[in-house]
Amino acid sequence: MSPPRATILYAKDGYDTSRPRLMGRHAAGEGFLRGMVRHSGFDRLVALVPRPADAAAFQAQARDLSATMALEAVPEAELHRVAETGCLMLPGPEMVPFAWRRQRTGAAGYSLVGITHTTASHGAMDSIADLLTGPLQPWDALICTSAAVRASVRRLLEGEAAWLKQRLGATRFVPPALPVIPLGVDVPALARDEAARALWRGRLGVGPRDVVVLHHGRLSFHAKAHPLPMFLGLGRAAAAAPAGARVHLLLSGWFADEVQRGAFQAMAQALCPQLAIHHVDGRKPEVRQAIWSAADAFTLLSDNVQETFGLAPVEAMAAGLPVVATDWDGLRDTVEHGVTGFRVPTLMGGPMGDLAARHEATLDSYDSYIAGAAQFTAVDVGATEEAFRALVADAGLRARMGEAGRQRAAALFDWSVVIGQYRALWAELGAIRGKAKPGTGDSPRRADPAVLFADYPTRRLGGQTRLRLAPGIPDAAAAVARLTALAAIPGVAPRRELLPAEAGFQAALAVLEGGPATVAAMAAAVPPARAARLARALAWLVKVDVLRMAEDGS
């Protein structure tokens, strides 16, 4: 085992697959945590957590995933401790806020590594464009899960750079690295289970010569994959199936609402009435784990710009299923055409600048924006039909492609391989960071309020400011007793957690028992690491009339 070389930003929302509105990023987050638990080789797993509840959730989830290493949850308020591991893994592309916060303790202290999921939303687009003006460094990286998404990220950055050059004359930019690392799957866990296969096929009424084509994931015509090409292509292939073989379409997924459910049912009835269609809730753990074994082939005909990788086809390959997928985004990286399945050509119309303008102005919602883009993206129905016909007619072809897919998944997409790529990236970024000069600096938009608002007060507390005990307070003990009583009154110390411990006050106030003293002399009474906090708190003691300003010569 080795010490950790990365800290995970953990908020339960990003890793929770038990939610009703399950998204790909949740499944990817859970898979990443499982991969880290099993394949990181760390002697402890460290998470940066925004809330105490996230710390408990991290500990519980990691143990549920059979973590045997030590687990450590670091409060987000202690972000500087990421330097202990050297890297902060973020669950999305929102890197700039953390880069600004890193500035305060030194940009060379650690690396930031984000990852793409969808890049079509306002938030994702803005987060990527902001990479050029935030304090990102050469030792930071935004992982792109596919070559196609890296191309779109580069296009966004190039457009932003052109605008900054036109507006400000800017010519030098320091974007993060853009490595391509895929999402991973647990290949052994997806191996075919013959008992589960018999159970599910019996439950669905599937005959011994029947062919089951599985579609697993969200069932959404506007945000995932429009089902029309699937219904047309598979329906026509079913009509030409060998005698005695019935084709079944198994929809393992979940509808966003009843409108989506009704649309799927209406399209199926109108376009492929001869196809046997079954629906199971793919959010249930027992379904997500076992449903792959019921199938003979898998399909995902994605046509949506919100997609960037497509995890389900990789899971299908791990389960030994041939895949019929679109030649689209990350599917182009995962499905090897003619070897592990078939990639169906796609066609995008345009221009669609009006959709971008309406989305930017919030006249169209995100769902309307991606639905509009998908409406003008076509999937080749003829090629879809040919692919399904080939697989339905030839069990040998299904077996060969399925085995090729299983081998490809094990070689390229198993978490043991993917986490190895992460480790190599952390090492590469660490080597670059090691050559950087240390330094600190504030965020210009979030400056120290004592500096930003320095012209507001009559005077500022400084090291040579002289203070004395307020009238009626004879010594340090009396001063501490008074401030303790005052702090107990609701509202007197609304941010009590910012005050030093009582022992620190006691040591500093003891300096005044011999008469007025400077702030510097009082701060010197506590360890150096606590001096700045103590010095600042002396202003609060003046506020509550435990201390007063000492006039020159008093």
Side-chain angles (χ1 to χ4, degrees), residues 452-489:
L452 183 62
F453 306 110
D455 294 309
Y456 284 32
T458 305
R459 297 181 64 179
R460 294 182 61 198
L461 192 70
Q464 298 309 306
T465 304
R466 289 167 55 81
L467 301 173
R468 62 182 175 87
L469 294 172
I473 301 178
D475 53 29
V480 170
R482 182 169 178 179
L483 71 87
T484 301
L486 288 169
I489 301 173

Side-chain angles (χ1 to χ4, degrees), residues 11-302:
K12 184 180 178 181
D13 173 73
Y15 299 81
D16 181 14
T17 59
S18 65
R19 55 197 304 116
R21 293 193 64 201
L22 181 60
M23 303 287 192
R25 65 181 179 88
H26 302 124
E30 181 187 67
F32 171 69
L33 184 59
R34 180 183 291 109
M36 289 291 287
V37 164
R38 298 183 181 179
H39 304 295
S40 70
F42 292 164
D43 56 22
R44 61 190 172 98
L45 191 60
V46 184
L48 186 74
V49 294
R51 297 171 296 273
D54 292 320
F58 164 67
Q59 299 269 354
Q61 187 171 11
R63 293 301 180 207
D64 285 345
L65 295 173
S66 304
T68 57
M69 72 275 278
L71 302 173
E72 182 178 1
V74 176
E76 191 175 340
E78 300 178 23
L79 178 63
H80 61 278
R81 290 183 54 193
V82 172
E84 297 171 11
T85 63
C87 178
L88 178 61
M89 291 294 299
L90 302 170
E94 298 82 11
M95 301 172 65
V96 170
F98 286 93
W100 280 121
R101 292 172 63 187
R102 182 180 60 182
Q103 284 288 101
R104 299 180 185 278
T105 54
Y110 53 89
S111 295
L112 296 170
V113 177
I115 190 169
T116 59
H117 290 294
T118 183
T119 56
S121 68
H122 276 164
M125 291 178 180
D126 289 346
S127 293
I128 293 168
D130 285 346
L131 295 175
L132 292 187
T133 52
L136 276 297
Q137 303 294 340
W139 50 86
D140 298 324
L142 176 65
I143 292 173
C144 301
T145 54
S146 66
V149 78
R150 180 166 65 178
S152 68
V153 167
R154 282 177 170 166
R155 198 165 287 118
L156 268 173
L157 293 176
E158 287 166 1
E160 185 74 4
W163 160 248
L164 292 171
K165 181 177 180 180
Q166 174 189 335
R167 179 70 171 176
L168 303 173
T171 58
R172 182 178 179 273
F173 303 99
V174 187
L178 299 176
V180 175
I181 300 179
L183 298 179
V185 297
D186 186 352
V187 172
L190 289 162
R192 176 180 287 188
D193 182 331
E194 293 299 338
R197 180 176 175 83
L199 174 66
W200 275 103
R201 289 173 79 93
R203 185 180 296 175
L204 299 172
V206 176
R209 298 186 59 192
D210 291 356
V211 177
V212 176
V213 177
L214 172 67
H215 173 98
H216 177 76
R218 277 187 295 157
L219 298 169
S220 171
F221 58 78
H222 78 278
K224 193 66 176 178
H226 200 287
L228 185 146
M230 177 176 65
F231 287 149
L232 285 177
L234 189 56
R236 294 169 182 173
R246 190 181 188 195
V247 178
H248 301 252
L249 174 59
L250 177 53
L251 300 175
S252 169
W254 50 99
F255 296 102
D257 50 41
E258 290 306 308
V259 172
Q260 294 275 354
R261 184 189 299 274
F264 266 70
Q265 291 173 343
M267 278 188 273
Q269 185 174 1
L271 301 174
C272 53
Q274 73 278 33
L275 196 62
I277 300 179
H278 314 272
H279 175 234
V280 296
D281 190 344
R283 292 169 297 187
K284 295 180 178 179
E286 63 273 18
V287 174
R288 293 197 348 248
Q289 179 61 36
I291 201 63
W292 309 96
S293 296
D296 301 292
F298 177 86
T299 187
L300 173 61
L301 300 177
S302 182

